Amino acid sequence: MARLNRTFVLTLLIAVSSVFLLFQLYNYRLSAAKNGLNVLNNKGYLSGKEAHWHLLKRFLGLVHKFKLPVFLVDTVSLALLSQDAVLYRDSQLKDPHCSFLCTHRDFTSFALLGNLWKYDAALLDAASERGLELLEIHGKDPRLISTDDLTAKEIPLHFLFRFNGRVVHVVVLYERSGKYLWHGPLRLTASLDRTFAPFGKLDYGHHAGAYDRPELILTTLDGLDVRIPKNFSGFLHEYSSSRFLECRSREAKAFFQLYPEDTSPEAVDFRMRAKSLLHLASRVLFTLRVPFWLSSGTCLGWYRQCNIIPYSKDVDVGIWIKDYRPDIIPAFQKAGLPLKHKFGKVEDSLELSFQGNDVKLDIFFFYDDGDVVWNGGTQAKSGRKFKYVFPRFSLCWTEFMELKVQVPCETEDYVRANYGPDWNIPVKTWDWKTSPFNVQENGVWPLREWDDVIQVY
């Protein structure tokens, strides 16, 4: 009898313990579903893709609650897309099916349109309620910085949401006066947790970036509603050359303390006409899909003093010769800029000059020559040829005269090559044949070619 009682008691204890454990497991699963903790699948664990999908679902729930103007900018996810994938809607799937948003990386990148959003401090609490850790990165607003005022308030630049070691990175895009979108760099202060995310691997934040405003469409990817750039392949192309450089306002202010800015009516009028001409040239070349950059004195003015040099009397831009198109000349003529001269030929030393409203537009074509690049010059009366040699460079975006425009990323090397070590000292007397630091004699055009390579109008 005693043996039966012990067996009954033991069985009862096992049954009660089992019920208690099942109750605890049930409560855990409820808590996990509410707070974003791991939810076990049939095999007893979450795979990497499933865990990432749950992170994205909770993040997009946060986006919906706060009406955040967010769209997908993850370079790997966008590269996986095709038009068929965008049109295919898989929202009826009951289980996580992550083919596009869950990649081999443990982070996904989104962009937030900063001008369409007002910061809400409740975002932190709402993220925490969903089991998401939030890290905010702030920085100075460059739109408020000028040579007159170097102070600026801080604005949110990056948000990072973390869940079980996986991250959603939100880069904030702000509209600038040139009607383009800009994001700031992701700079870690000493007090920030450098283990919070794989910062060195993130798509955005290694440097500032600039983009044209993309048209967005709403689609369903992996059972989640997300907005993406309609032309996602075009966005990826922009990403590859999006690096942005700010005008050096602090150095420009120091320059003007040594050499006061010319504010005479003539100088102010010239800057306005030069700005108008630069905007017109940008529109023409953009329509032709011909990339260009600020060159010569115009580049020097941007880099040294964040402004047009009033005594330069022209606007200078550079174009790679591979981007030359025969319809460049008629396009500028149609825009109201008559051709002033055409020197050289496509194969050698081509340069074009158009006459604006008392301001000349010079277009210099650059040739690749191994470790260096160069553009040519021609003296009309003698047929003498010159070349101006520069170290190789890449192109970055900047804002100049309320225009998104490109400049050499290695700007000081570019300027120093052209103007020498004293480039920071104004020189008002300039001979294009002898003054440039990088000028070289390059022979003489044969007389039989003069009618083709020396055209003055």
Side-chain angles (χ1 to χ4, degrees), residues 98 152 300 320:
C98 214
L300 174 64
W320 297 115

Side-chain angles (χ1 to χ4, degrees), residues 6-73:
R6 288 198 296 270
T7 302
F8 175 77
V9 171
L10 182 60
T11 302
L12 183 62
L13 287 174
I14 292 173
V16 171
S17 298
S18 298
V19 171
F20 178 74
L21 287 173
L22 288 172
F23 180 73
Q24 290 289 87
L25 179 60
Y26 174 75
N27 281 333
Y28 172 79
R29 290 172 67 90
L30 285 180
S31 176
K34 179 180 179 181
N35 297 315
L37 302 174
N38 275 346
V39 180
L40 302 182
N41 62 14
N42 293 332
K43 296 181 180 180
Y45 62 90
L46 272 181
S47 69
K49 281 194 172 185
E50 289 172 325
H52 203 78
W53 187 88
H54 281 285
L55 161 64
L56 292 168
K57 183 178 180 180
R58 283 155 178 74
F59 165 72
L60 291 172
L62 200 65
V63 166
H64 178 73
K65 177 178 180 179
F66 284 85
K67 296 181 172 58
L68 303 178
V70 160
F71 62 99
L72 181 69
V73 293

Side-chain angles (χ1 to χ4, degrees), residues 378-386 433 444-445 447 450 454:
T378 296
Q379 186 179 39
K381 66 179 181 181
S382 67
R384 292 170 63 197
K385 298 169 60 182
F386 302 86
K433 301 182 298 300
V444 179
W445 289 108
L447 282 174
W450 279 31
I454 303 175

